Amino acid sequence: MSLKVSDLSFSYGPKRALDAVTFEARSGKFTALLGPNGAGKSTLFGLLTRLFTSPQGVIEVAGQDLRSAPRAALAQMGIVFQQQTLDLDLTVRQNLTYFAALHGLSGRDARTRIDAALDRLSMLERAHEKARALNGGHRRRAEIARALIHQPKVLLLDEPTVGLDAAARAAITTHVHDLTQDHALTVLWATHLTDEVLPDDDVVLLHQGRIRATGPAQDLCGTQTLKDWFLSQTQAPA
Amino acid sequence: MTRYLPAFRAITTREALRFLHQRERFLAALVRPLVWLLVFAAGFRAALGLSITPPYQTYITYETYIVPGLCGMILLFNGMQSSLSLVYDREMGSMRLLLTAPLPRWFLLFSKLCAATFIGVLQCYTFLAVAWAFDITLPPLGYLTALPALILAGLMLGALGLALSSFIKQLENFAGVMNFVIFPMFFLSSALYPLWKMAESSELLHDICAANPFTHAVELIRFALYVDIAPWPLLWTVLATLVFMALAIWGYDPARGLVRRKG
């Protein structure tokens, strides 16, 4: 159950933001969508999450076409946005309960799933704290837990470590890598930070709205470090 | 249907909780019409003579006259307040969470609208209770028959707020809404003075007031408070609700790409 994007293009007026983007994120794999700022990652996330749509291209989420079956596709998707989207005046549990209800889950079923999701992210003991009282790392964890409540097949994370300190960043990256393997999740993780990518992770390199390379990180960078490879690919003339 | 009910409940509960967390908002929502009722109306009582027109069957005081208009004012401000919170949600990102739920967008927007209306109606009844305490009373049954009218007027003004929120790009632009929507809508209506009174001074102003959907919402509430139905305002309010809602759904259409502005 993967995420497939084919021939996806998008323009803001005359400005081409994405140009014939095609790639696949495989099940049970952590796929890093690597790209410098302005590469088109956020536009791609907007399209993947159907915040807006494009007449060109196909997005398939766990076998569901986002255009013809948007609700079935969205139901298979867990999303962590770059912006913080917790209601700070509500507790962690209230935030998660709200989200569960948006996915049609309520009562005991929702409670069980919320507990499991929080436990998975080591956040269960903080369930009764107000989101405002949490630090940035814990807020992010709560958001990841929230994205997993409905047991999605595909997890999308848009630069989830922005604004976090090194320790929180490492912890969250490790957590999501573990989740990918333990739950056969398809993870698409947008970032411009190469140290969040492990050698056997898949990489999709997006630069100036086009896919420049795809494949396992270790295969792409060869003898170089991933950081050097990334810089060489994105600093060269397009 | 099993997916829809929990989502509807969650959206309305969240809005109610948010309202409870903002006590200042509740206080402001209550103080505003009370100032009009207890200060403005008291001052104008002598200046404005009101003849007996339906639904009134006897001479009424000016305070009594403006009660329905002030209910409308509460709903108008509440509709715009919910619009403001939608723009805020969009800027803060929580709107994304709502719009990526696996439910039709119209349903998500309608749930938001119902939540805002519920809060507006609650404010109206609080206002009516305070007015009653100041001896500005209405037929007892009127408090009950006004409920559907208040709900419909709330839906209409909330839908207007929703539609506006889809066209407002930034929070800062909201001040314009105050100047160009709330004030003209309120003052060019029958909220503060009957339309025949307006016709005495200007036919044009009268015609503008008569076309203003807010006038019809106020008249609908006025008649309902006196256990009466006003068919024409009812029709006009229903039509305006549908038009505003259609505009909001169009404004939030993903193909139109409202959210991409914040990309």
Side-chain angles (χ1 to χ4, degrees), chain B residues 25 71 74-75 78 115-125 150 154:
Chain B
R25 184 178 152 194
C71 284
I74 293 170
L75 296 171
N78 186 65
T117 305
F118 170 72
I119 289 162
V121 170
L122 201 68
Q123 290 172 24
C124 282
Y125 274 104
L150 290 171

Side-chain angles (χ1 to χ4, degrees), chain A residues 187-201:
Chain A
V187 170
L188 184 69
W189 172 289
T191 187
H192 61 273
L193 302 167
T194 49
D195 61 344
E196 293 175 352
V197 185
L198 299 180
D200 64 340
D201 288 341

Side-chain angles (χ1 to χ4, degrees), chain B residues 30-101:
Chain B
L30 199 59
V31 166
R32 196 181 301 118
L34 284 175
V35 166
W36 280 87
L37 185 70
L38 304 174
V39 181
F40 178 87
F44 268 66
R45 174 190 262 190
L48 288 170
L50 296 171
S51 64
I52 301 172
T53 49
Y56 307 110
Q57 287 163 355
T58 174
Y59 281 109
I60 49 157
T61 60
Y62 185 58
E63 286 96 324
T64 307
Y65 176 79
I66 65 166
V67 164
L70 295 179
C71 284
M73 179 205 235
I74 293 170
L75 296 171
L76 178 65
F77 270 88
N78 186 65
M80 296 309 122
Q81 184 86 41
S82 65
S83 154
L84 174 72
S85 79
L86 280 163
V87 178
Y88 178 80
D89 276 0
R90 211 170 65 216
E91 296 223 324
M92 292 298 120
S94 45
M95 193 69 179
R96 286 159 193 253
L97 197 69
L98 183 73
L99 296 181
T100 51

Side-chain angles (χ1 to χ4, degrees), chain A residues 89-104:
Chain A
D89 291 323
L90 301 184
T91 65
V92 171
R93 185 177 292 281
Q94 283 173 325
N95 267 292
L96 269 62
T97 305
Y98 171 69
F99 177 83
L102 290 180
H103 281 259

Side-chain angles (χ1 to χ4, degrees), chain B residues 119-189:
Chain B
I119 289 162
V121 170
L122 201 68
Q123 290 172 24
C124 282
Y125 274 104
T126 312
F127 164 73
L128 288 172
V130 177
W132 178 81
F134 279 93
D135 214 23
I136 301 161
T137 56
L138 301 155
L141 193 58
Y143 290 100
L144 189 65
T145 51
L147 181 62
L150 290 171
I151 290 173
L152 185 58
L155 286 174
M156 183 191 90
L157 296 164
L160 174 65
L162 258 182
L164 285 171
S165 75
S166 72
F167 298 104
I168 299 170
K169 288 182 189 160
Q170 291 163 347
L171 214 51
E172 295 81 53
N173 300 356
F174 198 78
V177 175
M178 287 294 285
N179 289 329
F180 294 108
V181 178
I182 293 187
F183 293 136
M185 227 176 171
F186 182 62
F187 289 113
L188 288 168
S189 77

